[in-house]
Amino acid sequence: IAFVGLARAVDYSNLTRGEVIAGTPQYMAREQANGEPVDHRADLFSLGSVMYTMCTGDPPFREHSTVATLRSVCDKNPRSIRELNPDIPQALVDVVALLHEKDPANRPQSASEVEGILSDQLSRAQRPTTGFSGDVRGAAVTEVKQRPAGIAVWKLRRAILIGGAMLLLGVV
């Protein structure tokens, strides 16, 4: 009986004989942590957790024990990325929050949708007359003052490239 994760296996006594929860608890989706059926949207939640870690240097759900971590995944929202790293563009923060939706129906429904959202935000960041859109799904595009094309755009590009690589690895 074990959590089989990237780093190690941990005994968990509430599982019945023969059950295994595969994954790293800090990066699991709520439905996976609850032992509910999962689909590809759980992977998108995990992508949000990887992106959060890239932006802040810490996983979004980090507690003193595995059980506490799983409870946190199920019941809490992570600390604000901008509180931990104000250099991260709000559009990227909004994408991560969208990926961290507790209800899978409220998350993007495919990796292609995530790619489209990230590509749209990157193209907006590169336009000389617009900045990042507050509406990451693109339903209502709001122009904001142009942000400098310096560090924030570079960090967004890096996050998109790494996120895309993670998506590609997940597909393979």
Side-chain angles (χ1 to χ4, degrees), residues 72-108:
S72 182
V73 167
C74 293
D75 301 331
K76 296 180 183 177
N77 289 319
R79 268 179 80 188
S80 165
I81 290 174
R82 302 249 1 234
E83 182 181 321
L84 299 170
N85 186 350
D87 292 333
I88 301 298
Q90 186 61 48
L92 183 56
V93 171
D94 293 342
V95 171
V96 173
L98 189 61
L99 291 166
H100 274 161
E101 283 287 336
K102 300 295 185 189
D103 182 350
N106 293 334
R107 290 181 210 140

Side-chain angles (χ1 to χ4, degrees), residues 25-26 28-30 33-34 45 59-79 100 102:
Q26 294 174 329
M28 283 183 180
R30 183 186 144 280
N34 275 335
F45 185 97
F61 305 100
R62 187 166 129 185
E63 301 292 340
H64 62 280
S65 71
T66 300
V67 173
T69 298
L70 292 172
R71 281 192 192 130
S72 182
V73 167
C74 293
D75 301 331
K76 296 180 183 177
N77 289 319
R79 268 179 80 188
H100 274 161
K102 300 295 185 189

Side-chain angles (χ1 to χ4, degrees), residues 25-66:
Q26 294 174 329
Y27 295 89
M28 283 183 180
R30 183 186 144 280
E31 60 273 22
Q32 187 176 8
N34 275 335
E36 299 168 2
V38 297
D39 59 21
H40 60 282
R41 296 172 297 182
D43 291 335
L44 297 176
F45 185 97
S46 297
L47 172 63
S49 295
V50 169
M51 292 172 71
Y52 182 100
T53 303
M54 290 168 39
C55 293
T56 66
D58 290 314
F61 305 100
R62 187 166 129 185
E63 301 292 340
H64 62 280
S65 71
T66 300

Side-chain angles (χ1 to χ4, degrees), residues 131-142:
F132 296 103
S133 167
D135 180 6
V136 296
R137 288 200 186 230
V141 178
T142 304

Side-chain angles (χ1 to χ4, degrees), residues 111-151:
S112 295
E113 185 179 346
V114 175
E115 187 225 358
I117 292 167
L118 290 171
S119 294
D120 182 59
Q121 291 303 319
L122 181 58
S123 69
R124 288 182 197 293
Q126 294 174 333
R127 287 188 205 148
T129 59
T130 62
F132 296 103
S133 167
D135 180 6
V136 296
R137 288 200 186 230
V141 178
T142 304
E143 289 192 18
V144 295
K145 291 182 180 178
Q146 178 183 0
R147 296 187 185 208
I151 273 199

